[in-house]
Structures are given as structure tokens and as C-alpha cells.
Amino acid sequence: MTEEAPAPLLKLRNIRKSFGDLEVLKGIDLDVAKGEVVSIIGASGSGKSTFLRSINAIEPADGGTMDFDGQQFDFDRASGLYPTARQLQALRARIGMVFQSYNLWPHKTVLENVIHAPMNVLGQSRAEATEVAGALLDRIGLYDKKDSSPQRLSGGQQQRVAIARALAMKPRLMLFDEVTSALDPELVHEVLMLMASLAKEGMTMLLVTHEMSFARDVSSRVLFFDRGVIGEEGAPSKVLRDPESPRLRQFLHSILHDDLSQAGAGKGLIQ
């Protein structure tokens, strides 16, 4: 008797989002298994970042359904099943998200940035939150900076702290929205290596990225977003090296050569 495949950690059906008359997401379907790393590529304005923000409901969808970790969400306001503010807050607590801008509190120390949410959202004691934060900061090589202001750190260091802050919430899913795009090229490597180590440990991840080598070497799948829909998806070797659609070929032609020649992501970053 054949065993049934486990249910996906994340299941999205017909996810739609508009801003006024502009329809940004036009009905996205996606299943993500536990431990998958899904990279999302596409031109600016194709809906990539809005899609990530809809998953953890920073920008709640205008329609469609989502099953996440056994819980169902219906984003059709006419259905009478639209999630409450408390349900959305609980959802965000289980989905970590890291942005292009680090969004660290400048008036708090590095340690205080990491322990704030576990204490105030998860209800951890200061001692428990500090123990977890200390281990995370040690892992990313910044324990000695725990009492520093984030403003005294490099961009790469601040982004690693932002990732540690998200991990401190013990998320089931991590979302990364172009987290290296604001960094100087020499700082990109340290952030990508941290993300690669999370992938090797089995963290389920969705990431919007222009780092094509990272997408190629680390991802389980690559999605190409095109004007609010998934224009093409598949294994990185297929999508990035043998694309079917003319629009994807055009997109890759415009960026792939430059990305693969970069010293960080493009010269065998992930072995």
C-alpha cells in the first residue's frame, strides 16, 4: 500500500491582491513542502514582494485561501470566514520575515532587538529569551556585539541580526524579501552563507532574490513571477538554464550574466 505524501506546510489557492485599480496578484496557487527552499525571481513590479507580504498578512490578500501548518485562512471578506486580527497576529508569530531594510530598532541594543518579540509575543521570560538570543548571536558570529547599537554595525551584520531576530521566534516558515539588495557587494556573501546554512538544516524558506547563483545552488524550486502570475516554475536547473517562456529568457538575459560574474554569489558561493 502506497503511503500518502504529507500535507504541504503551506498551501495557497487563488491568492489575489489589488491596490485600488491595480491588480498585483492575479490568482496564485502554490504548495510548499516542509523543508523546501523556493526562490522567487522576476522583474520589478511583477508582484513578488506583495506575494510574500500576503503570506504573513502584512498585506492581507483580497481573495483566495491559505492553509498553513494545519490552520486554514479564507481571505474572501464576503465569505464570513475572514481571519480575525488575533488570528492574523498568531499567523505572523509563526512566519518569520526579513526585509531589504533591516528594520532594527536604533534605540535598542542588538540583544534587545532579538529578545523583544519572544518576550512580548511568545511570553518568554527575559532569562529564557536572552539564552536563546545569545545562542543565535553566537551562531552568526555577533555575540560580542550584543550590547552595541545596531547603527554601529555594518549592513551585513545588521541583516544577520535581523535574521537572528526572526529565528528567535522559532518560525515554521521563513520569508526573505531581497535581503541582500541593499548591501554592498562585499557584504552579500556573509548573509547568503547564513541563509544557505538554514536551508541545509531543513528550514522551510521562500525568498525573493536577484542572486541567481544562490537560487541555482540552494533552491528546491524557482518561481518566475510575471505580471501577477507564476509564469514558469520548476527545478533551478530547468528554470534558470533551459527556460520555456520568452519573457523568462528575456529576464534572465538581462541579469544572469552580470550576477554569475559577481565575486560573491557568482563564483561558487555554495559548494
mmCIF file with all atom_site columns, all heavy atoms in Angstrom, residues 22-40:
data_model
loop_
_atom_site.group_PDB
_atom_site.id
_atom_site.type_symbol
_atom_site.label_atom_id
_atom_site.label_alt_id
_atom_site.label_comp_id
_atom_site.label_asym_id
_atom_site.label_entity_id
_atom_site.label_seq_id
_atom_site.pdbx_PDB_ins_code
_atom_site.Cartn_x
_atom_site.Cartn_y
_atom_site.Cartn_z
_atom_site.occupancy
_atom_site.B_iso_or_equiv
_atom_site.pdbx_formal_charge
_atom_site.auth_seq_id
_atom_site.auth_comp_id
_atom_site.auth_asym_id
_atom_site.auth_atom_id
_atom_site.pdbx_PDB_model_num
ATOM 1   N N   . LEU A 1 22 ? -5.232 48.657 -9.465  1.00 0.00 ? 22 LEU A N   1
ATOM 2   C CA  . LEU A 1 22 ? -4.080 47.880 -9.913  1.00 0.00 ? 22 LEU A CA  1
ATOM 3   C C   . LEU A 1 22 ? -4.125 46.473 -9.311  1.00 0.00 ? 22 LEU A C   1
ATOM 4   O O   . LEU A 1 22 ? -3.991 46.296 -8.097  1.00 0.00 ? 22 LEU A O   1
ATOM 5   C CB  . LEU A 1 22 ? -2.780 48.574 -9.500  1.00 0.00 ? 22 LEU A CB  1
ATOM 6   C CG  . LEU A 1 22 ? -1.483 47.846 -9.860  1.00 0.00 ? 22 LEU A CG  1
ATOM 7   C CD1 . LEU A 1 22 ? -1.351 47.698 -11.376 1.00 0.00 ? 22 LEU A CD1 1
ATOM 8   C CD2 . LEU A 1 22 ? -0.284 48.580 -9.276  1.00 0.00 ? 22 LEU A CD2 1
ATOM 9   N N   . GLU A 1 23 ? -4.321 45.481 -10.158 1.00 0.00 ? 23 GLU A N   1
ATOM 10  C CA  . GLU A 1 23 ? -4.338 44.087 -9.710  1.00 0.00 ? 23 GLU A CA  1
ATOM 11  C C   . GLU A 1 23 ? -2.903 43.559 -9.718  1.00 0.00 ? 23 GLU A C   1
ATOM 12  O O   . GLU A 1 23 ? -2.296 43.385 -10.776 1.00 0.00 ? 23 GLU A O   1
ATOM 13  C CB  . GLU A 1 23 ? -5.220 43.243 -10.626 1.00 0.00 ? 23 GLU A CB  1
ATOM 14  C CG  . GLU A 1 23 ? -5.467 41.849 -10.106 1.00 0.00 ? 23 GLU A CG  1
ATOM 15  C CD  . GLU A 1 23 ? -6.378 41.037 -11.013 1.00 0.00 ? 23 GLU A CD  1
ATOM 16  O OE1 . GLU A 1 23 ? -6.545 41.419 -12.197 1.00 0.00 ? 23 GLU A OE1 1
ATOM 17  O OE2 . GLU A 1 23 ? -6.932 40.033 -10.538 1.00 0.00 ? 23 GLU A OE2 1
ATOM 18  N N   . VAL A 1 24 ? -2.351 43.313 -8.525  1.00 0.00 ? 24 VAL A N   1
ATOM 19  C CA  . VAL A 1 24 ? -0.947 42.935 -8.387  1.00 0.00 ? 24 VAL A CA  1
ATOM 20  C C   . VAL A 1 24 ? -0.770 41.425 -8.391  1.00 0.00 ? 24 VAL A C   1
ATOM 21  O O   . VAL A 1 24 ? 0.161  40.899 -9.003  1.00 0.00 ? 24 VAL A O   1
ATOM 22  C CB  . VAL A 1 24 ? -0.353 43.551 -7.109  1.00 0.00 ? 24 VAL A CB  1
ATOM 23  C CG1 . VAL A 1 24 ? 1.111  43.155 -6.947  1.00 0.00 ? 24 VAL A CG1 1
ATOM 24  C CG2 . VAL A 1 24 ? -0.476 45.070 -7.142  1.00 0.00 ? 24 VAL A CG2 1
ATOM 25  N N   . LEU A 1 25 ? -1.642 40.707 -7.701  1.00 0.00 ? 25 LEU A N   1
ATOM 26  C CA  . LEU A 1 25 ? -1.630 39.245 -7.703  1.00 0.00 ? 25 LEU A CA  1
ATOM 27  C C   . LEU A 1 25 ? -2.930 38.769 -8.334  1.00 0.00 ? 25 LEU A C   1
ATOM 28  O O   . LEU A 1 25 ? -4.016 39.156 -7.887  1.00 0.00 ? 25 LEU A O   1
ATOM 29  C CB  . LEU A 1 25 ? -1.489 38.697 -6.281  1.00 0.00 ? 25 LEU A CB  1
ATOM 30  C CG  . LEU A 1 25 ? -0.242 39.119 -5.503  1.00 0.00 ? 25 LEU A CG  1
ATOM 31  C CD1 . LEU A 1 25 ? -0.277 38.555 -4.087  1.00 0.00 ? 25 LEU A CD1 1
ATOM 32  C CD2 . LEU A 1 25 ? 1.032  38.669 -6.215  1.00 0.00 ? 25 LEU A CD2 1
ATOM 33  N N   . LYS A 1 26 ? -2.824 37.887 -9.329  1.00 0.00 ? 26 LYS A N   1
ATOM 34  C CA  . LYS A 1 26 ? -3.985 37.551 -10.156 1.00 0.00 ? 26 LYS A CA  1
ATOM 35  C C   . LYS A 1 26 ? -4.422 36.098 -10.009 1.00 0.00 ? 26 LYS A C   1
ATOM 36  O O   . LYS A 1 26 ? -4.894 35.487 -10.950 1.00 0.00 ? 26 LYS A O   1
ATOM 37  C CB  . LYS A 1 26 ? -3.661 37.868 -11.615 1.00 0.00 ? 26 LYS A CB  1
ATOM 38  C CG  . LYS A 1 26 ? -3.289 39.323 -11.847 1.00 0.00 ? 26 LYS A CG  1
ATOM 39  C CD  . LYS A 1 26 ? -2.885 39.600 -13.280 1.00 0.00 ? 26 LYS A CD  1
ATOM 40  C CE  . LYS A 1 26 ? -2.469 41.047 -13.475 1.00 0.00 ? 26 LYS A CE  1
ATOM 41  N NZ  . LYS A 1 26 ? -2.034 41.344 -14.861 1.00 0.00 ? 26 LYS A NZ  1
ATOM 42  N N   . GLY A 1 27 ? -4.267 35.567 -8.809  1.00 0.00 ? 27 GLY A N   1
ATOM 43  C CA  . GLY A 1 27 ? -4.706 34.198 -8.574  1.00 0.00 ? 27 GLY A CA  1
ATOM 44  C C   . GLY A 1 27 ? -3.548 33.232 -8.512  1.00 0.00 ? 27 GLY A C   1
ATOM 45  O O   . GLY A 1 27 ? -3.318 32.466 -9.447  1.00 0.00 ? 27 GLY A O   1
ATOM 46  N N   . ILE A 1 28 ? -2.811 33.248 -7.388  1.00 0.00 ? 28 ILE A N   1
ATOM 47  C CA  . ILE A 1 28 ? -1.605 32.428 -7.231  1.00 0.00 ? 28 ILE A CA  1
ATOM 48  C C   . ILE A 1 28 ? -1.959 31.131 -6.512  1.00 0.00 ? 28 ILE A C   1
ATOM 49  O O   . ILE A 1 28 ? -2.575 31.139 -5.445  1.00 0.00 ? 28 ILE A O   1
ATOM 50  C CB  . ILE A 1 28 ? -0.527 33.176 -6.421  1.00 0.00 ? 28 ILE A CB  1
ATOM 51  C CG1 . ILE A 1 28 ? -0.177 34.516 -7.084  1.00 0.00 ? 28 ILE A CG1 1
ATOM 52  C CG2 . ILE A 1 28 ? 0.710  32.299 -6.261  1.00 0.00 ? 28 ILE A CG2 1
ATOM 53  C CD1 . ILE A 1 28 ? 0.491  34.397 -8.415  1.00 0.00 ? 28 ILE A CD1 1
ATOM 54  N N   . ASP A 1 29 ? -1.559 30.000 -7.097  1.00 0.00 ? 29 ASP A N   1
ATOM 55  C CA  . ASP A 1 29 ? -1.656 28.684 -6.467  1.00 0.00 ? 29 ASP A CA  1
ATOM 56  C C   . ASP A 1 29 ? -0.245 28.180 -6.191  1.00 0.00 ? 29 ASP A C   1
ATOM 57  O O   . ASP A 1 29 ? 0.619  28.227 -7.076  1.00 0.00 ? 29 ASP A O   1
ATOM 58  C CB  . ASP A 1 29 ? -2.362 27.673 -7.379  1.00 0.00 ? 29 ASP A CB  1
ATOM 59  C CG  . ASP A 1 29 ? -3.821 28.018 -7.637  1.00 0.00 ? 29 ASP A CG  1
ATOM 60  O OD1 . ASP A 1 29 ? -4.386 28.839 -6.885  1.00 0.00 ? 29 ASP A OD1 1
ATOM 61  O OD2 . ASP A 1 29 ? -4.388 27.462 -8.600  1.00 0.00 ? 29 ASP A OD2 1
ATOM 62  N N   . LEU A 1 30 ? -0.028 27.675 -4.981  1.00 0.00 ? 30 LEU A N   1
ATOM 63  C CA  . LEU A 1 30 ? 1.307  27.186 -4.639  1.00 0.00 ? 30 LEU A CA  1
ATOM 64  C C   . LEU A 1 30 ? 1.231  26.257 -3.444  1.00 0.00 ? 30 LEU A C   1
ATOM 65  O O   . LEU A 1 30 ? 0.538  26.558 -2.470  1.00 0.00 ? 30 LEU A O   1
ATOM 66  C CB  . LEU A 1 30 ? 2.243  28.357 -4.314  1.00 0.00 ? 30 LEU A CB  1
ATOM 67  C CG  . LEU A 1 30 ? 3.690  28.000 -3.945  1.00 0.00 ? 30 LEU A CG  1
ATOM 68  C CD1 . LEU A 1 30 ? 4.419  27.393 -5.146  1.00 0.00 ? 30 LEU A CD1 1
ATOM 69  C CD2 . LEU A 1 30 ? 4.446  29.224 -3.433  1.00 0.00 ? 30 LEU A CD2 1
ATOM 70  N N   . ASP A 1 31 ? 1.930  25.128 -3.523  1.00 0.00 ? 31 ASP A N   1
ATOM 71  C CA  . ASP A 1 31 ? 2.140  24.236 -2.381  1.00 0.00 ? 31 ASP A CA  1
ATOM 72  C C   . ASP A 1 31 ? 3.631  24.254 -2.045  1.00 0.00 ? 31 ASP A C   1
ATOM 73  O O   . ASP A 1 31 ? 4.477  24.168 -2.939  1.00 0.00 ? 31 ASP A O   1
ATOM 74  C CB  . ASP A 1 31 ? 1.740  22.801 -2.714  1.00 0.00 ? 31 ASP A CB  1
ATOM 75  C CG  . ASP A 1 31 ? 0.234  22.614 -2.838  1.00 0.00 ? 31 ASP A CG  1
ATOM 76  O OD1 . ASP A 1 31 ? -0.510 23.599 -2.598  1.00 0.00 ? 31 ASP A OD1 1
ATOM 77  O OD2 . ASP A 1 31 ? -0.197 21.501 -3.180  1.00 0.00 ? 31 ASP A OD2 1
ATOM 78  N N   . VAL A 1 32 ? 3.935  24.346 -0.762  1.00 0.00 ? 32 VAL A N   1
ATOM 79  C CA  . VAL A 1 32 ? 5.324  24.320 -0.300  1.00 0.00 ? 32 VAL A CA  1
ATOM 80  C C   . VAL A 1 32 ? 5.448  23.248 0.771   1.00 0.00 ? 32 VAL A C   1
ATOM 81  O O   . VAL A 1 32 ? 4.761  23.308 1.802   1.00 0.00 ? 32 VAL A O   1
ATOM 82  C CB  . VAL A 1 32 ? 5.765  25.682 0.265   1.00 0.00 ? 32 VAL A CB  1
ATOM 83  C CG1 . VAL A 1 32 ? 7.218  25.612 0.747   1.00 0.00 ? 32 VAL A CG1 1
ATOM 84  C CG2 . VAL A 1 32 ? 5.624  26.774 -0.787  1.00 0.00 ? 32 VAL A CG2 1
ATOM 85  N N   . ALA A 1 33 ? 6.301  22.272 0.527   1.00 0.00 ? 33 ALA A N   1
ATOM 86  C CA  . ALA A 1 33 ? 6.511  21.193 1.489   1.00 0.00 ? 33 ALA A CA  1
ATOM 87  C C   . ALA A 1 33 ? 7.458  21.636 2.596   1.00 0.00 ? 33 ALA A C   1
ATOM 88  O O   . ALA A 1 33 ? 8.269  22.555 2.419   1.00 0.00 ? 33 ALA A O   1
ATOM 89  C CB  . ALA A 1 33 ? 7.075  19.966 0.778   1.00 0.00 ? 33 ALA A CB  1
ATOM 90  N N   . LYS A 1 34 ? 7.350  20.976 3.741   1.00 0.00 ? 34 LYS A N   1
ATOM 91  C CA  . LYS A 1 34 ? 8.268  21.256 4.835   1.00 0.00 ? 34 LYS A CA  1
ATOM 92  C C   . LYS A 1 34 ? 9.700  21.000 4.374   1.00 0.00 ? 34 LYS A C   1
ATOM 93  O O   . LYS A 1 34 ? 10.007 19.987 3.769   1.00 0.00 ? 34 LYS A O   1
ATOM 94  C CB  . LYS A 1 34 ? 7.941  20.363 6.035   1.00 0.00 ? 34 LYS A CB  1
ATOM 95  C CG  . LYS A 1 34 ? 8.766  20.652 7.277   1.00 0.00 ? 34 LYS A CG  1
ATOM 96  C CD  . LYS A 1 34 ? 8.340  19.750 8.416   1.00 0.00 ? 34 LYS A CD  1
ATOM 97  C CE  . LYS A 1 34 ? 9.134  20.068 9.683   1.00 0.00 ? 34 LYS A CE  1
ATOM 98  N NZ  . LYS A 1 34 ? 10.588 19.842 9.526   1.00 0.00 ? 34 LYS A NZ  1
ATOM 99  N N   . GLY A 1 35 ? 10.577 21.961 4.629   1.00 0.00 ? 35 GLY A N   1
ATOM 100 C CA  . GLY A 1 35 ? 11.977 21.829 4.267   1.00 0.00 ? 35 GLY A CA  1
ATOM 101 C C   . GLY A 1 35 ? 12.332 22.323 2.881   1.00 0.00 ? 35 GLY A C   1
ATOM 102 O O   . GLY A 1 35 ? 13.510 22.351 2.522   1.00 0.00 ? 35 GLY A O   1
ATOM 103 N N   . GLU A 1 36 ? 11.342 22.731 2.101   1.00 0.00 ? 36 GLU A N   1
ATOM 104 C CA  . GLU A 1 36 ? 11.630 23.257 0.764   1.00 0.00 ? 36 GLU A CA  1
ATOM 105 C C   . GLU A 1 36 ? 12.211 24.658 0.830   1.00 0.00 ? 36 GLU A C   1
ATOM 106 O O   . GLU A 1 36 ? 11.897 25.436 1.724   1.00 0.00 ? 36 GLU A O   1
ATOM 107 C CB  . GLU A 1 36 ? 10.350 23.309 -0.087  1.00 0.00 ? 36 GLU A CB  1
ATOM 108 C CG  . GLU A 1 36 ? 10.113 22.107 -0.952  1.00 0.00 ? 36 GLU A CG  1
ATOM 109 C CD  . GLU A 1 36 ? 9.167  22.419 -2.099  1.00 0.00 ? 36 GLU A CD  1
ATOM 110 O OE1 . GLU A 1 36 ? 7.976  22.637 -1.840  1.00 0.00 ? 36 GLU A OE1 1
ATOM 111 O OE2 . GLU A 1 36 ? 9.633  22.433 -3.261  1.00 0.00 ? 36 GLU A OE2 1
ATOM 112 N N   . VAL A 1 37 ? 13.032 24.976 -0.155  1.00 0.00 ? 37 VAL A N   1
ATOM 113 C CA  . VAL A 1 37 ? 13.536 26.333 -0.357  1.00 0.00 ? 37 VAL A CA  1
ATOM 114 C C   . VAL A 1 37 ? 13.070 26.774 -1.737  1.00 0.00 ? 37 VAL A C   1
ATOM 115 O O   . VAL A 1 37 ? 13.482 26.203 -2.752  1.00 0.00 ? 37 VAL A O   1
ATOM 116 C CB  . VAL A 1 37 ? 15.070 26.387 -0.261  1.00 0.00 ? 37 VAL A CB  1
ATOM 117 C CG1 . VAL A 1 37 ? 15.565 27.808 -0.524  1.00 0.00 ? 37 VAL A CG1 1
ATOM 118 C CG2 . VAL A 1 37 ? 15.545 25.905 1.106   1.00 0.00 ? 37 VAL A CG2 1
ATOM 119 N N   . VAL A 1 38 ? 12.187 27.756 -1.770  1.00 0.00 ? 38 VAL A N   1
ATOM 120 C CA  . VAL A 1 38 ? 11.592 28.215 -3.023  1.00 0.00 ? 38 VAL A CA  1
ATOM 121 C C   . VAL A 1 38 ? 12.065 29.636 -3.299  1.00 0.00 ? 38 VAL A C   1
ATOM 122 O O   . VAL A 1 38 ? 11.797 30.551 -2.511  1.00 0.00 ? 38 VAL A O   1
ATOM 123 C CB  . VAL A 1 38 ? 10.054 28.173 -2.964  1.00 0.00 ? 38 VAL A CB  1
ATOM 124 C CG1 . VAL A 1 38 ? 9.461  28.656 -4.285  1.00 0.00 ? 38 VAL A CG1 1
ATOM 125 C CG2 . VAL A 1 38 ? 9.571  26.757 -2.645  1.00 0.00 ? 38 VAL A CG2 1
ATOM 126 N N   . SER A 1 39 ? 12.778 29.815 -4.394  1.00 0.00 ? 39 SER A N   1
ATOM 127 C CA  . SER A 1 39 ? 13.246 31.139 -4.791  1.00 0.00 ? 39 SER A CA  1
ATOM 128 C C   . SER A 1 39 ? 12.275 31.745 -5.793  1.00 0.00 ? 39 SER A C   1
ATOM 129 O O   . SER A 1 39 ? 11.788 31.054 -6.693  1.00 0.00 ? 39 SER A O   1
ATOM 130 C CB  . SER A 1 39 ? 14.642 31.061 -5.415  1.00 0.00 ? 39 SER A CB  1
ATOM 131 O OG  . SER A 1 39 ? 15.619 30.764 -4.437  1.00 0.00 ? 39 SER A OG  1
ATOM 132 N N   . ILE A 1 40 ? 12.024 33.032 -5.625  1.00 0.00 ? 40 ILE A N   1
ATOM 133 C CA  . ILE A 1 40 ? 11.088 33.757 -6.490  1.00 0.00 ? 40 ILE A CA  1
ATOM 134 C C   . ILE A 1 40 ? 11.868 34.832 -7.226  1.00 0.00 ? 40 ILE A C   1
ATOM 135 O O   . ILE A 1 40 ? 12.518 35.678 -6.605  1.00 0.00 ? 40 ILE A O   1
ATOM 136 C CB  . ILE A 1 40 ? 9.950  34.383 -5.665  1.00 0.00 ? 40 ILE A CB  1
ATOM 137 C CG1 . ILE A 1 40 ? 9.216  33.289 -4.864  1.00 0.00 ? 40 ILE A CG1 1
ATOM 138 C CG2 . ILE A 1 40 ? 8.980  35.147 -6.555  1.00 0.00 ? 40 ILE A CG2 1
ATOM 139 C CD1 . ILE A 1 40 ? 8.239  33.841 -3.847  1.00 0.00 ? 40 ILE A CD1 1
#
